[in-house]
Amino acid sequence: MLLNILNHFKKYIEIDSKDETNILSFFKEKTINKKEFLLEQNKKCNSHYFVLKGCLRMFFIDEKGTEQTVQFAIENWWITDYLAFESKENTSFTIQSIEKSIVLKIDYHNQEELLKKFPQFERYFRLIYQKAYGALQLRSKFLSDFSREQFYHHFNNQFPEFTNRVPQRMLASYLNMTPEYLSEIKNKTRS
């Protein structure tokens, strides 16, 4: 399974095969059970997570006590509270496993050491962060431009793996609608 992350890296940067073991030594594998928390709101954010297998979500609890999902991560995706990770502060988010998952985690110190020892990872993480930031920008645009129904259909067309794996209440939260309204949209689509 560790080949997954090496193959993922190689899509973006060149890695000498003699460095692979050394690169992997910066990461720790962790298995997370379904519904288990990787990171809890108001706790120190020390790690950046790469999903080898499974599905995670990041959410916060609003002032009404409602969970608001802001991100999902499946195989070959990264997830963390980037601001809290970078500043080594407490997070405003919770990261939870939606299904039994296996992640590779790298803490802040090890990530900095990886970047120093293998400078090509500066490029890798820049490209990954650009993609993540671009996705966030598009999500903001779609929330503004699309009706909720259009947003669901767009998301379902772009990421069917999420709509098939993520519980409806979590998907509805991400799409900024109630689970009941999402159910209506799905039923209308099936008709």
Side-chain angles (χ1 to χ4, degrees), residues 37 39-42 57-71 81 91-96 169 173:
F37 298 113
L39 179 65
E40 292 184 66
Q41 194 168 345
N42 299 317
R57 74 172 177 134
M58 179 186 285
F59 66 95
F60 65 93
I61 299 175
D62 68 16
E63 66 280 346
K64 296 176 187 171
T66 305
E67 293 179 359
Q68 297 295 320
T69 301
V70 296
Q71 182 183 352
D81 177 343
T91 180
S92 299
F93 301 98
T94 296
I95 298 175
Q96 181 183 38
R169 70 176 177 79
S173 170

Side-chain angles (χ1 to χ4, degrees), residues 22-75:
N22 196 354
I23 289 167
L24 291 174
S25 72
F26 287 93
F27 297 88
K28 289 189 174 135
E29 188 173 305
K30 181 172 176 61
T31 300
I32 309 104
N33 292 317
K34 182 177 180 175
K35 297 185 178 182
E36 187 177 340
F37 298 113
L38 269 177
L39 179 65
E40 292 184 66
Q41 194 168 345
N42 299 317
K43 300 271 174 95
K44 193 74 71 188
C45 180
N46 298 316
S47 298
H48 197 181
Y49 304 96
F50 181 83
V51 181
L52 289 172
K53 183 178 184 326
C55 184
L56 308 175
R57 74 172 177 134
M58 179 186 285
F59 66 95
F60 65 93
I61 299 175
D62 68 16
E63 66 280 346
K64 296 176 187 171
T66 305
E67 293 179 359
Q68 297 295 320
T69 301
V70 296
Q71 182 183 352
F72 295 109
I74 56 173
E75 292 81 8

